Amino acid sequence: MEITAIFQIAGVGIIIAIMHTVLKQMGKEDIAHWITVLGFVIGIFMVIDVIAQLFQEIKSIFLFQ
Amino acid sequence: MIVQALMMIKLLGAVLILFAGTAIGFVQASFYVNRSKQLRQLIHALQRLETEIDYGQTELPTALIKSSEGIEQPVSRLFTLTAELLTAEQELSMNEAWQQAIHQVWDVTSLRAREKEVLLRMGSVLGMSNAEDQLKHLQLAQIQLKSEEALAREEQQRYANMWRSLGTLGAILIVILMV
C-alpha cells in the first residue's frame, strides 16, 4: 500500500479546512458547509479501493475458509 | 532519464494549474474592485455634469464630453458615446442616445443592473425639461449611486480577499488530487 494516499488525504483535509474558515469569515456559511461535504466525498473516493480491499480480506478470513 | 522528464512535466503542469487558479481568483476579485471604482467615477462625472448644466448652461453634447474628462475608459466612454450619437444623428433624442450608449458600453463595465436602472431613469429626464428639474434628477441619481457605492465598497472588502484566497486554495486542491 502506498503511503502517498495518506499525505494526499491530509492535504485535502487542510485545504478544505482553510477554505471553510475563509468562507465562514466572509459570512457564506452555507457554501462553507457544502465545501466541507465535498471534501468528505473526495476523501471517501480516495479510500474506497482500500476499504473494498479490507472487506475482501475480512470476508476471506472469516467467512470462506 | 524518462522518469525525470515525466516528473518535470508533472511539475510544470502543477505550476500552470496553480497559476491559472490564482489568476481566476484575482480576476473575480478585480470585478469587485473595479465596480466600486467605476461607481465613484460615475458619481464624479454626474457632479461635473451638474455643474455644467447649472452654472455653465452648456449644450448637452459639450457638457457630456466635458464631464467625461479626467475619468477612466469604460465609464467615460458612456458619456463620449452619447455625445457622439447626439451630434452624429440629429433626429435622436437625448434619451434614445443615452439608452443606446448604455447598451453598448454596459458589458465592458463591471457595473450591475441596479446602476443601469438608475442611469436609464436619469437619462429619460436629461435634456427634456428645464434645468432645475434636470438638476434634481441628477442629484437623485447621485444619491442612489452613492448608496450603491457604499455597498460596493463593503462587498469589495469582504469578497475580494475571499476570491483571491479561494482561487489559490482551489488550485492547490486540484494539484493535490492529481498527484
Side-chain angles (χ1 to χ4, degrees), chain B residues 6-139:
Chain B
L6 277 177
M7 277 302 288
M8 281 301 288
I9 291 171
K10 269 190 173 179
L11 202 69
L12 193 73
V15 170
L16 281 179
I17 290 172
L18 267 178
F19 184 75
T22 315
I24 289 171
F26 270 79
V27 167
Q28 288 287 340
S30 79
F31 175 80
Y32 287 100
V33 177
N34 279 341
R35 178 160 181 256
S36 66
K37 201 170 97 185
Q38 285 173 6
L39 270 172
R40 263 197 300 282
Q41 290 173 349
L42 205 55
I43 292 167
H44 283 312
L46 290 188
Q47 271 167 357
R48 189 84 189 271
L49 191 61
E50 200 184 313
T51 33
E52 287 298 334
I53 291 175
D54 196 9
Y55 299 108
Q57 304 271 329
T58 331
E59 276 189 317
L60 255 174
T62 329
L64 284 169
I65 286 174
K66 269 191 179 170
S67 57
S68 76
E69 280 164 8
I71 286 167
E72 279 171 42
Q73 197 29 252
V75 178
S76 71
R77 185 82 193 116
L78 190 67
F79 291 88
T80 47
L81 190 65
T82 315
E84 276 167 27
L85 285 171
L86 275 177
T87 43
E89 295 171 55
Q90 292 291 336
E91 73 273 18
L92 228 56
S93 76
M94 170 63 199
N95 190 16
E96 285 162 349
W98 183 245
Q99 273 178 14
Q100 271 188 32
I102 284 181
H103 286 306
Q104 277 187 37
V105 178
W106 207 254
D107 291 336
V108 192
T109 65
S110 306
L111 301 167
R112 289 206 189 138
R114 266 176 301 182
E115 289 92 84
K116 194 175 183 179
E117 218 172 273
V118 171
L119 286 182
L120 283 176
R121 210 178 309 141
M122 188 198 81
S124 66
V125 182
L126 271 188
M128 287 290 280
S129 46
N130 57 348
E132 235 171 87
D133 197 38
Q134 291 181 41
L135 288 178
K136 250 182 212 160
H137 277 86
L138 272 175
Q139 275 158 7

Side-chain angles (χ1 to χ4, degrees), chain A residues 7-9 11-12 15-16 18-19 22-23 25-28 38 42 46, chain B residues 32 157-159 161-162 165-166 169-173 175-179:
Chain A
F7 284 114
Q8 215 174 349
I9 291 165
V12 171
I15 296 298
I16 294 288
I18 300 172
M19 274 181 157
V22 167
L23 282 168
Q25 240 176 12
M26 304 307 163
K28 297 213 162 190
L38 186 79
I42 290 171
M46 279 171 164
Chain B
Y32 287 100
Q157 275 174 355
R158 280 172 122 202
Y159 296 132
N161 269 327
M162 185 191 82
S165 37
L166 270 191
L169 287 172
I172 294 173
L173 186 67
V175 168
I176 286 175
L177 284 178
M178 282 166 72
V179 166

